[in-house]
Amino acid sequence: MNENTELAVKIADKFIEIHESDEGIEYSIFDSKYYLLDGGVLELEDTLGIPVYIALAEIIDFHDLPKLEMEKINYEDLIEKTVERELVLLEKLVQKSKPSLLEKISDFVNPPMQANETRNNSFEK
């Protein structure tokens, strides 16, 4: 972690991740379970001081976060936890989109009909 270009803090029950990028200062705000709540990019003019700390002050003011309950936390740990949360969400989405085994078997036994077909379930003698 580079303290001049990356920062992670906990404020009350929220986490803020800030880092410099080619576009400016990017930030993300997460809830206590690491779900993404908000984020954006700040374009800071030449400033006195470290840009990520100036960005933090602007983010706190813009989102009306409490100023007294701030704790600096490990940047890599926060990123790891948020990535894990995203992977869990992606896995759930993939599972929802996969047809169940029963649906697969049903489609195999009774293939989907075309719009102009009718299914005759009786056997001819």
Side-chain angles (χ1 to χ4, degrees), residues 61-74:
D61 285 341
F62 182 75
H63 290 279
D64 198 27
L65 298 170
K67 295 167 182 67
L68 300 176
E69 303 176 40
M70 187 170 15
E71 173 188 353
K72 187 175 177 181
I73 59 173
N74 184 284

Side-chain angles (χ1 to χ4, degrees), residues 2-117:
N2 183 340
E3 289 191 23
N4 294 330
T5 61
E6 299 171 337
L7 177 65
V9 295
K10 181 178 182 199
I11 299 180
D13 64 343
K14 294 180 178 52
F15 297 95
I16 302 175
E17 174 272 327
I18 305 169
H19 67 273
E20 287 185 23
S21 72
D22 292 339
E23 291 79 31
I25 305 292
E26 294 185 21
Y27 73 95
S28 299
I29 301 174
F30 302 92
D31 69 9
S32 61
K33 294 183 180 181
Y34 307 103
Y35 286 101
L36 180 65
L37 299 174
D38 200 356
V41 178
L42 300 174
E43 294 180 19
L44 299 177
E45 302 297 321
D46 292 334
T47 59
L48 297 175
I50 301 170
V52 291
Y53 287 98
I54 294 167
L56 176 61
E58 287 192 21
I59 294 163
I60 289 170
D61 285 341
F62 182 75
H63 290 279
D64 198 27
L65 298 170
K67 295 167 182 67
L68 300 176
E69 303 176 40
M70 187 170 15
E71 173 188 353
K72 187 175 177 181
I73 59 173
N74 184 284
Y75 183 87
E76 285 84 13
D77 288 349
L78 178 59
I79 296 300
E80 183 178 319
K81 289 174 183 174
T82 60
V83 167
E84 286 174 6
R85 167 59 68 194
E86 290 296 318
L87 290 175
V88 167
L89 289 174
L90 285 174
E91 187 175 303
K92 286 180 181 179
L93 287 173
V94 167
Q95 291 301 322
K96 281 184 177 180
S97 66
K98 285 184 182 176
S100 71
L101 182 57
L102 185 58
E103 290 170 330
K104 287 180 184 178
I105 292 171
S106 176
D107 286 345
F108 179 74
V109 173
N110 296 312
M113 295 185 303
Q114 299 298 324
N116 57 355
E117 289 183 321

